[in-house]
Amino acid sequence: MTLWNGSYPFYPGANACFPFDTTQAVIVTVFLCILVTFIVILPGIPGTGRLFWFLRWVLGLFMGAVILTVQFTRDWETGWVQANTSYKSFSPVQVNVDVGLHIGLAGVNVTLRGNPVTQINETINYNEHFAWSFGADYEHSYSQGLQKGLPSPILYVAEKFSRQSPCAVHGQYRIAGHYLSLALWLAFCTWLISILLFSMSILLYGGHMLLLTAALILFSLLFFSTVRRTLKCPIQFGPASLETGYGESFWLTLVTGLLCLLLGLAIIILNSLQPEKLKLIFSLDKSSKEEVWDKPWLPAEPSCSAQGGLMVPLGELCPGTGTQP
């Protein structure tokens, strides 16, 4: 038995695992509650429009939930590598671990997981977050990691994204995350406006707002992709290299943007070519008022006293209204 069980006394005994972020769970729960409410009232929708009504709200809630949720996810860019590396500073002990990097809009997550999890009499299972969002100091988070004595692989990866790193990727990722987040918030606002316009049966302008939503989403993804392609920062663990690729949030946002684009174009085309089918999809009766936003006002119908533009006796135009002799 060795002194301090083979570990240095200034390292903490328990792993400082990052707590579960409940923001995403709250957003998903709210949207699911709304969906369940619509399912409950679905039997009260009359006729064949019940299916179209349900599909409209499912697609609408899906797009809104994705646009809002990806603001808080941390897997816009991810990467994993398996390597044999030193576990702690000033120690020659090597461990076999999986090192993961997860880049989000507000910071980076570094994951360290042992193969197996229990090695050198310790449980190697870390997930540390280093934030660079507004009001957060990345350098302070990194300094706290040094003070806690986090494992060397985590500190090595986190150092690559610091301001002092020669990689110079901190500013680019931080600015890209801020602008991408702003574009997504604008997209969420335009999505809300489109839902309001569709509820008011203003279909053409609702389709235009969907196109604007798609444009904002796709522009934000293009900006993030451009910044990512210009950055080169090798992360080496001996012969192994940690390389990253687009994560689930990126692809899910791309699918949502393309969905908004297709639905917006479909609504605009149907409004021009097949307005009756569009009204059927949105469960509008034939007696309901059509959109007149882009049509000139029609003149009022002539009264019975002005038919044909001729002046005739009132008794002949409107029988029964004149005085009897």
Side-chain angles (χ1 to χ4, degrees), residues 67-283:
I67 295 173
L68 191 58
T69 304
V70 294
Q71 294 268 10
F72 308 98
T73 55
R74 297 170 182 174
D75 56 353
W76 280 82
E77 187 176 344
T78 61
W80 285 91
V81 66
Q82 184 176 359
N84 291 315
T85 181
S86 61
Y87 180 56
K88 296 179 179 179
S89 302
F90 314 112
S91 175
V93 178
Q94 297 276 319
V95 292
N96 185 270
V97 292
D98 289 328
V99 183
L101 175 61
H102 313 276
I103 302 176
L105 304 184
V108 298
N109 267 58
V110 185
T111 304
L112 183 68
R113 189 177 304 152
N115 289 316
V117 176
T118 303
Q119 297 183 52
I120 60 173
N121 296 326
E122 290 193 23
T123 300
I124 304 176
N125 189 11
Y126 289 83
N127 185 17
E128 295 292 329
H129 180 66
F130 302 89
W132 57 45
S133 59
F134 288 115
D137 188 355
Y138 187 91
E139 304 301 325
H140 179 68
S141 300
Y142 179 71
S143 299
Q144 284 186 329
L146 289 173
Q147 293 176 5
K148 290 191 297 184
L150 293 178
S152 296
I154 294 180
L155 296 176
Y156 169 68
V157 176
E159 186 183 8
K160 295 289 185 178
F161 293 87
S162 64
R163 290 191 178 95
Q164 290 76 20
S165 173
C167 292
V169 297
H170 176 87
Q172 289 88 335
Y173 270 114
R174 186 172 183 269
I175 293 174
H178 290 168
Y179 280 105
L180 200 158
S181 178
L182 176 61
L184 289 179
W185 279 118
L186 291 176
F188 183 73
C189 293
T190 56
W191 169 80
L192 285 177
I193 296 175
S194 69
I195 294 296
L196 178 62
L197 292 175
F198 289 140
S199 300
M200 298 171 60
S201 300
I202 308 177
L203 307 183
L204 180 60
Y205 286 88
H208 289 162
M209 294 309 297
L210 273 184
L211 285 183
L212 181 56
T213 303
L216 289 170
I217 294 175
L218 296 178
F219 173 77
S220 65
L221 295 179
L222 179 62
F223 184 76
F224 182 80
S225 178
T226 303
V227 171
R228 178 184 176 274
R229 287 182 178 273
T230 59
L231 301 177
K232 299 295 181 181
C233 184
I235 303 176
Q236 293 289 142
F237 292 93
S241 176
L242 175 58
E243 298 188 6
T244 59
Y246 295 121
E248 295 179 0
S249 294
F250 180 90
W251 297 115
L252 186 59
T253 307
L254 178 61
V255 170
T256 304
L258 294 177
L259 180 62
C260 292
L261 179 64
L262 293 177
L263 290 178
L265 288 176
I267 290 173
I268 294 175
I269 293 174
L270 283 177
N271 185 78
S272 301
L273 302 180
Q274 299 288 339
E276 295 299 327
K277 290 184 178 180
L278 183 62
K279 290 194 295 183
L280 177 63
I281 294 175
F282 281 86
S283 304

